[in-house]
Amino acid sequence: MYLYKIIKIIAVAGLFLLATACSQEPAVIHYGSDECAHCKMMITDEQFASQIVTDKGKAIKFDAIECMAVYQRENADELQGAIRYVSDYNQPGNWIKAGEAQFVKSEVINSPMGESLLAFPSEKEAREHVAEKSGALLKWAEVSQIER
């Protein structure tokens, strides 16, 4: 009976480890030490950070949304099943799936790589930003085609 309980605990722990090992949740970015996978610059500003998490749970980090877009295009075959995340411009550290985000190409805010792409969790927040500071609304389909 005692041996049966130990085997059961080990089996449950193994399943838990297996389930968490391939998590596609966003990873922690170490600002000031992590490097952008595309441009190789240090990631320093969490308002513009982005990342791709592969289906195996590997996080590929970027200092700007446009870097992620170009990397995604150049490595599309390897990134099947990956999830793209962008940082919420108004609440840095909150991650939004890129396909669900509303983007603004700002005319007055400078991003690390110059495209000045900002991500918001809703169209309402993006429109409020544009009303205050100007810019153009974009969806991920448009952002993903930006050349850099």
Side-chain angles (χ1 to χ4, degrees):
M1 190 66 151
Y2 181 71
L3 182 60
Y4 175 74
K5 284 184 178 181
I6 290 175
I7 291 171
K8 189 174 178 181
I9 290 170
I10 290 171
V12 170
L15 287 173
F16 176 77
L17 289 174
L18 185 63
T20 58
C22 295
S23 170
Q24 285 189 287
E25 293 299 311
V28 173
I29 293 182
H30 300 97
Y31 296 95
S33 62
D34 282 350
E35 182 179 274
C36 176
H38 177 67
C39 71
K40 308 301 180 198
M41 290 180 60
M42 190 179 303
I43 304 171
T44 58
D45 193 334
E46 63 182 325
Q47 287 182 303
F48 304 101
S50 60
Q51 61 181 291
I52 298 172
V53 182
T54 69
D55 59 349
K56 294 181 179 165
K58 177 184 174 190
I60 305 166
K61 303 170 186 176
F62 305 93
D63 66 340
I65 295 167
E66 60 266 32
C67 284
M68 181 176 74
V70 173
Y71 188 93
Q72 168 76 34
R73 267 198 322 273
E74 292 175 349
N75 299 283
D77 292 340
E78 299 169 23
L79 298 174
Q80 297 290 331
I83 299 175
R84 299 170 309 274
Y85 293 97
V86 291
S87 181
D88 182 341
Y89 179 76
N90 284 336
Q91 295 184 31
N94 286 343
W95 295 102
I96 311 164
K97 290 183 179 176
E100 298 170 1
Q102 175 68 57
F103 296 90
V104 171
K105 182 169 176 52
S106 177
E107 296 174 2
V108 295
I109 295 174
N110 296 319
S111 67
M113 296 307 293
E115 286 294 328
S116 298
L117 294 170
L118 320 175
F120 296 91
S122 70
E123 186 174 333
K124 179 181 178 246
E125 289 182 55
R127 287 191 183 282
E128 289 171 356
H129 179 86
V130 169
E132 285 179 31
K133 299 183 178 178
S134 76
L137 296 175
L138 301 172
K139 293 289 185 187
W140 173 249
E142 298 164 292
V143 170
S144 67
Q145 299 306 310
I146 289 177
E147 295 292 328
R148 189 79 188 141

